[in-house]
Amino acid sequence: MSEQEHTFQLSPKSKTRYDAGPYNPKTRSPKYEIDYLCPTPESRNQIEVNEILMGHEDSHFLVWEIENNSTWPIFFSVKKDGQLVIK
């Protein structure tokens, strides 16, 4: 497999903040999505993802606070308007 199929990996027992990008809450665009791949069903229950809208009236951006409480690395895919984001 030569092309990366995920946006980032989060190590076991760690947390991060992911800045998805600029966002217009009036038009609800662009459309951001986050999904994650876990090795076990139990580990999926140990992932916390909180979506936060930050900024001020004319300059908003979308952020996710993510915590991996499992003992496995988790692979996250972020899409912007349906396209995978690779950073």
Side-chain angles (χ1 to χ4, degrees):
M1 185 179 331
S2 62
E3 190 173 324
Q4 185 173 335
E5 295 180 5
H6 64 280
T7 305
F8 67 96
Q9 176 182 334
L10 187 58
S11 300
K13 303 292 182 185
S14 64
K15 57 185 170 181
T16 191
R17 179 179 274 189
Y18 183 87
D19 179 1
Y23 183 72
N24 184 330
K26 292 177 185 171
T27 62
R28 297 184 181 183
S29 65
K31 181 172 173 39
Y32 293 103
E33 302 171 58
I34 189 167
D35 194 18
Y36 43 95
L37 180 61
C38 304
T40 67
E42 295 80 20
S43 62
R44 187 161 190 86
N45 294 333
Q46 296 176 319
I47 308 303
E48 293 181 38
V49 178
N50 296 308
E51 185 175 282
I52 303 167
L53 183 61
M54 300 183 84
H56 50 84
E57 189 173 329
D58 293 325
S59 179
H60 288 97
F61 55 98
L62 191 66
V63 172
W64 286 295
E65 288 185 342
I66 305 164
E67 190 166 355
N68 178 3
N69 295 307
S70 78
T71 57
W72 296 91
I74 307 297
F75 295 89
F76 288 83
S77 296
V78 176
K79 292 184 180 179
K80 178 180 175 183
D81 291 334
Q83 299 294 315
L84 182 65
V85 175
I86 304 291
K87 286 190 177 181

